[in-house]
């Protein structure tokens, strides 16, 4: 059995879904297909959640009607208008969207993160419904499985932690491959907590879902289909001389995704290493290309690899009274950041100051307000963090020249530079 995962960009148009169908039709193995939300649906649903939080009903309805139109045009592009399958799909989509509308109307629990799970999961529910129906009616017998029946998580909404033992147990019966069913479609990104509330695994979390499914069901491999030829040595939009990395070890891939390479969700690699399941990252644009293969054996040699994270903020925390015990202050402040689901990308400390680099955003600003209770907090925003693996002085110069460096850290193989955000290419 093989697991294939398709991201939002690969199924953002009827042609994309047909392309998925073609890939599936060329594969004789039993399959589990994991899909993300189509195109930019997740971003739009995040805006619905914000509107729900602000109780802005007009805005909720406006965005959801746009989402409905987009998915209906997908359905019209894939099936004949007026045909039974076309009608069936449109009512399935309407049903799912109406459920969210009534949730936003009736919901008295205005916890932002809880509502996020209930609202933003709609994207994957819509895409999986359409993809499954398309495969089942055009390509091969396929069934839809709701990921919330087997991905069991804690209640850390928006960044839920997966309970592996319970999930493994639920997975035993989730994909029975009975009768003539040899293909299943399910959602990435979503799960449910022990109360049955919908949770999400963090932005771009579908890769992680696919890795969990592949690992716990003992798949032969996981293939992630992307809009790039594989894992590249840098983002080609920023660094035109980026090259394809044909082979990587799990360790390399885990590090690169941590540093911000546009490879895959950070947590993807671990479940695969546990069972030694190979991961292939391939181009859905040119399915003939071999892509990148990631396994325990392969090693990244001396090729320089560049990863960038934009929209970073450097938060510096100073004690109010010079009484810093570094360890205590670190723990206290890290716990606050953890509560806001912030991932720390870089730490620097001096006897009187801890500086932490994280993604900027709504949660970050709320966390800063809370950090201010413990100490004086200053910050620099609109920063970019560049990491170069296998760096040379020349490369450091090339990418940081004429830019203000706030922090530069390096060891023998890796340099990390926090820079003011200026256009540099
Ligand atoms: N749809 C979710 C997102 O855009 C999950 C994913 O794409 O992996 O973040
Ligand atoms: Mg996505």
């Amino acid at each position: 059995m093989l697991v294939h995962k398709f991201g939002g960009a690969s199924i953002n148009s009827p042609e994309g879904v047909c392309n998925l169908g073609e890939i599936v039709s060329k594969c004789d193995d039993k399959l589990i297909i994991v899909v993300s939300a189509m195109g930019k649906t997740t971003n739009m649903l995040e805006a619905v959640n914000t509107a729900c939080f602000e109780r802005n009903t007009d805005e909720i309805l406006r965005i959801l009607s746009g989402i409905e139109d987009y998915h209906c045009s997908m359905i019209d592009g894939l099936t004949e208008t007026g045909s039974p399958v076309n009608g069936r799909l449109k009512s399935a989509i309407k049903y799912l969207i109406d459920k969210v509308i009534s949730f936003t109307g009736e919901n008295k629990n205005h916890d932002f993160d809880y509502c996020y799970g209930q609202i933003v999961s709609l994207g994957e529910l819509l895409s999986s419904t359409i993809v499954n129906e398309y495969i089942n009616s055009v390509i091969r017998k396929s069934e839809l499985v709701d990921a919330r029946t087997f991905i069991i998580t804690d209640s850390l909404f928006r960044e839920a932690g997966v309970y592996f033992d319970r999930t493994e147990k639920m997975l035993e019966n989730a994909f029975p491959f009975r009768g003539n069913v040899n293909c299943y479609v399910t959602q990435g990104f979503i799960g449910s907590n022990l109360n049955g509330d919908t949770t999400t695994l963090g932005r771009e979390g579908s890769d992680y879902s696919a890795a969990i499914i592949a690992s716990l069901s003992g798949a032969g491999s996981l293939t992630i289909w992307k809009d790039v030829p594989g894992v590249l040595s840098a983002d080609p939009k920023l660094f035109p001389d980026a090259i394809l990395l044909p082979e990587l070890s799990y360790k390399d891939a885990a590090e690169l995704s941590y540093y911000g390479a546009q490879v895959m969700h950070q947590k993807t690699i671990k479940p695969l290493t546990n069972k030694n399941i190979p991961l292939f990252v391939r181009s859905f644009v040119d399915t003939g290309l071999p892509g990148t293969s990631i396994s325990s054996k392969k090693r990244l040699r001396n090729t320089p690899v560049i990863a960038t994270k934009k929209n970073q903020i450097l938060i510096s925390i100073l004690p109010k009274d010079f009484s810093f015990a570094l360890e205590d202050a670190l723990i206290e402040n890290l716990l606050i950041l953890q509560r806001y689901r912030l991932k720390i990308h870089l730490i620097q400390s001096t006897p009187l100051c801890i500086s932490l680099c994280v993604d900027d955003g709504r949660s970050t600003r709320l966390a800063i307000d809370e950090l201010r209770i413990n100490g004086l907090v200053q910050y620099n925003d609109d920063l970019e963090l560049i990491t170069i693996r296998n760096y040379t002085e020349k490369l450091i110069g090339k990418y940081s020249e004429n830019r203000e460096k706030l922090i530069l850290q390096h060891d023998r193989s890796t340099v990390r530079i926090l820079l003011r955000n200026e256009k540099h290419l």
Side-chain angles (χ1 to χ4, degrees), residues 13 30 32 37 72-73 95 120 213 279 282-283 295 324 333 347 366 385 388 391 396:
S13 64
K30 290 179 183 168
I32 298 176
C72 282
S73 71
Y95 170 78
V120 179
I213 296 168
L279 167 61
R282 304 210 21 207
S283 159
S295 70
F324 242 16
N333 291 314
I347 297 189
L366 294 173
L385 178 61
I388 311 176
Y391 66 92
I396 297 180

Side-chain angles (χ1 to χ4, degrees), residues 5 7-8 36-37 39 42-43 116 124 188-189 202-207:
K5 184 255 160 176
S36 302
T42 304
N43 292 353
Y116 184 101
E124 272 67 17
F189 182 55
R203 285 304 305 260
E204 306 303 326
S206 299
D207 293 343

Side-chain angles (χ1 to χ4, degrees), residues 70-83:
Y70 170 58
H71 287 84
C72 282
S73 71
M74 292 288 297
I75 296 168
D76 286 336
L78 289 165
T79 61
E80 208 176 308
T81 316
S83 65

Side-chain angles (χ1 to χ4, degrees), residues 178-342:
R178 258 195 312 256
N180 57 353
V181 181
N182 60 5
C183 180
Y184 291 94
V185 177
T186 190
Q187 305 86 17
F189 182 55
I190 70 173
S192 74
N193 68 7
L194 297 175
N195 296 331
D197 300 318
T198 305
T199 56
T200 56
L201 309 184
R203 285 304 305 260
E204 306 303 326
S206 299
D207 293 343
Y208 181 40
S209 303
I212 293 167
I213 296 168
S215 167
L216 298 184
S217 57
S221 65
L222 166 63
T223 305
I224 295 182
W225 296 91
K226 302 205 70 130
D227 57 352
V228 287
V231 180
L232 301 176
S233 63
D235 180 347
K237 289 183 206 114
L238 300 175
F239 305 99
D241 43 4
I243 56 164
L244 176 77
L245 304 170
E247 294 182 336
L248 288 175
S249 69
Y250 289 130
K251 184 170 168 289
D252 291 328
E255 276 185 21
L256 294 183
S257 55
Y258 170 79
Y259 290 142
Q262 301 294 316
V263 198
M264 64 205 74
H265 186 270
Q266 263 186 42
K267 294 183 185 163
T268 309
I269 297 297
K270 177 144 192 310
L272 301 174
T273 54
N274 292 348
K275 298 265 179 78
N276 218 347
I277 293 170
L279 167 61
F280 303 110
V281 180
R282 304 210 21 207
S283 159
F284 71 80
V285 183
D286 190 344
T287 53
L289 295 177
T292 299
S293 104
I294 300 165
S295 70
S296 54
K297 287 173 245 127
K298 314 291 172 23
R299 317 216 69 231
L300 177 65
R301 304 245 177 246
N302 296 325
T303 318
V305 178
I306 303 166
T308 55
K309 280 184 191 283
K310 291 197 183 292
N311 194 28
Q312 300 298 294
I313 181 166
L314 182 68
I315 307 172
S316 298
I317 309 158
L318 299 94
K320 281 186 172 139
D321 55 1
F322 292 92
S323 65
F324 242 16
L326 185 62
E327 297 74 15
D328 296 348
L330 246 184
I331 292 169
E332 211 171 308
N333 291 314
L334 291 186
L335 284 174
I336 293 173
L337 296 187
Q338 188 195 42
R339 212 155 359 93
Y340 286 93
R341 331 257 186 286
L342 298 178

Side-chain angles (χ1 to χ4, degrees), residues 41 57 78 93 107 114 220 268 270 288 294 309 358 373 379 413:
T41 307
T57 312
L78 289 165
I93 295 308
N107 170 51
Y114 166 80
T268 309
K270 177 144 192 310
I294 300 165
K309 280 184 191 283
V358 297
I373 299 168
Y379 62 80
S413 65

Side-chain angles (χ1 to χ4, degrees), residues 48-95:
V48 172
N49 190 43
T50 305
C52 177
F53 193 66
E54 292 162 354
R55 319 221 179 144
N56 185 344
T57 312
D58 290 349
E59 183 68 353
I60 295 173
L61 295 178
R62 188 189 67 76
I63 306 171
L64 284 174
S65 126
I67 290 177
E68 182 168 358
D69 291 348
Y70 170 58
H71 287 84
C72 282
S73 71
M74 292 288 297
I75 296 168
D76 286 336
L78 289 165
T79 61
E80 208 176 308
T81 316
S83 65
V85 58
N86 183 282
R88 203 162 54 235
L89 266 176
K90 283 187 182 159
S91 32
I93 295 308
K94 187 158 178 9
Y95 170 78

